[in-house]
Amino acid sequence: MPRRITVAIASCTLSLGALASGAGAASATPSASAVDAPSIRPAIDARAAAVDRCSYQVVRSDDSRYAYSVRGLIGGSTRELPLQKEDFVRFSDGWHKVAQVDACSGGQGPAPGTLSVIGKLENPEHYEPSVPRTIRSDAVKPAPSSVIPKAPALTSVTRLDAATVRVAWEPAQGNPDQVLLMERKPFYSSEIGLWHPYTFQRNAPAGATSMDRKLERDPGIPPANRSHAYWMRVIKGGFVSDLRAEKPTTVEP
């Protein structure tokens, strides 16, 4: 499944009827309804962890109607954090957007106490007024950097024949949940009738340290789009290895 496929997650809407249920009932203890009322789930499901002192990883659900930003509570004030890198990643429970942000912005300020995600509806004129214009996650306290897994190093890309390469990597450390071989190569889209670069996520079998991959050699591929690239990524405990550390190895078919 292509990397850039998004699964639209329906935004939560507040039900005034549910909030008001039981409001007219007499009670000797008015606070009981507040205690028993179900909590309102945020429209964005997010979790966060420190990658290093300045970089933080945020894994969130995605609704493609919205443009997202990450904010940090730093030194008593909230500010938007610059994006370093982001990608869609397929976890065991589905696709999520993974973003890494810079909490230092080139300085050496204090670490953020909490992070949160804000979504602003793009092109609101195309949607009914009932569609929320802004959605939010809860404030999330970042997990320590020890939860961010480390991807094994890619060791070689060896040509086996004219149309096949063997990609090899070091054994994965720390028992990750998933070891992924990332592959960017030409992909033919029948919808637009063109070859263009696309990135695929290949799940490596448990314990494997190599995988054979076929090269796309169709004569219709434009010369600028013929190269293939490979790199490693791992997932553990709901987080991904440092996206900034990924250095693709490129080969020509």
Side-chain angles (χ1 to χ4, degrees):
M1 199 174 196
R3 162 185 178 189
R4 303 300 300 178
I5 292 178
T6 65
V7 178
I9 300 175
S11 58
C12 298
T13 58
L14 301 180
S15 172
L16 296 178
L19 290 174
S21 62
S27 173
T29 56
S31 62
S33 60
V35 173
D36 296 337
S39 60
I40 305 300
R41 289 193 59 186
I44 304 172
D45 180 23
R47 54 184 177 268
V51 181
D52 52 37
R53 187 184 180 282
C54 288
S55 178
Y56 288 78
Q57 185 177 109
V58 178
V59 180
R60 63 165 171 82
S61 55
D62 186 73
D63 184 329
S64 60
R65 299 174 298 176
Y66 293 85
Y68 295 87
S69 61
V70 177
R71 299 183 181 181
L73 179 62
I74 303 174
S77 62
T78 301
R79 62 180 173 87
E80 185 173 333
L81 305 181
L83 180 68
Q84 294 174 323
K85 194 171 182 181
E86 66 179 352
D87 199 2
F88 280 103
V89 179
R90 188 177 68 243
F91 291 76
S92 58
D93 63 342
W95 290 88
H96 297 274
K97 190 60 154 307
V98 177
Q100 287 185 203
V101 294
D102 180 11
C104 293
S105 298
Q108 295 294 321
T114 60
L115 299 174
S116 59
V117 182
I118 306 294
K120 298 287 187 180
L121 185 66
E122 296 187 297
N123 304 312
E125 67 276 8
H126 297 163
Y127 299 97
E128 295 294 330
S130 60
V131 178
R133 270 40 186 172
T134 302
I135 57 176
R136 294 176 171 83
S137 72
D138 282 334
V140 180
K141 184 174 179 59
S145 58
S146 57
V147 306
I148 299 294
K150 294 189 182 301
L154 199 70
T155 56
S156 64
V157 179
T158 305
R159 191 178 297 271
L160 301 181
D161 55 43
T164 311
V165 293
R166 176 165 295 166
V167 185
W169 57 89
E170 295 178 350
Q173 304 297 315
N175 299 313
D177 301 327
Q178 295 171 254
V179 177
L180 312 173
L181 172 62
M182 306 301 297
E183 178 181 43
R184 185 170 63 243
K185 67 177 184 176
F187 175 77
Y188 185 76
S189 173
S190 57
E191 294 183 356
I192 59 177
L194 292 174
W195 286 91
H196 57 95
Y198 228 97
T199 301
F200 298 86
Q201 175 176 308
R202 312 293 186 187
N203 289 352
T209 56
S210 67
M211 189 182 294
D212 293 353
R213 302 302 310 152
K214 289 294 183 181
L215 301 174
E216 295 291 347
R217 297 169 58 83
D218 190 286
I221 300 174
N225 296 335
R226 288 178 183 168
S227 64
H228 294 53
Y230 304 92
W231 66 96
M232 302 304 297
R233 179 178 289 173
V234 297
I235 298 173
K236 184 175 183 179
F239 293 100
V240 184
S241 47
D242 187 352
L243 299 181
R244 301 165 307 166
E246 297 176 342
K247 296 179 172 57
T249 297
T250 302
V251 296
E252 297 297 328

